[in-house]
Amino acid sequence: MLKSKIFSSASPALLEKEINAWLEETSWVTVKQITQSSNQEKTIISIWYEEPDVPILQK
């Protein structure tokens, strides 16, 4: 199932830092598409991804 993660910021440097941190934390997902929109105030980036089909480990 395709999921999405949305990032937004007025600062491109902060936005890049947030996205890179999320990608490092979730390196097991498969990124399918990245879209970007912006106006004068901020940039919004949506990352569409799939998670692997594995059972969830229980405690």
Side-chain angles (χ1 to χ4, degrees), residues 1-56:
M1 175 168 58
L2 206 55
K3 296 183 176 187
S4 65
K5 177 76 174 172
I6 299 172
F7 300 89
S8 68
S9 178
S11 166
L14 180 59
L15 189 59
E16 180 180 5
K17 196 175 203 176
E18 279 186 62
I19 292 170
N20 286 338
W22 182 78
L23 288 170
E24 284 182 28
E25 293 169 7
T26 58
S27 61
W28 41 270
V29 301
T30 303
V31 174
K32 295 296 188 177
Q33 182 176 354
I34 300 174
T35 58
Q36 175 181 328
S37 60
S38 59
N39 60 26
Q40 294 175 347
E41 297 171 11
K42 65 179 161 183
T43 299
I44 299 170
I45 294 181
S46 301
I47 300 178
W48 296 86
Y49 65 95
E50 287 182 338
E51 295 178 337
D53 188 20
V54 295
I56 297 173

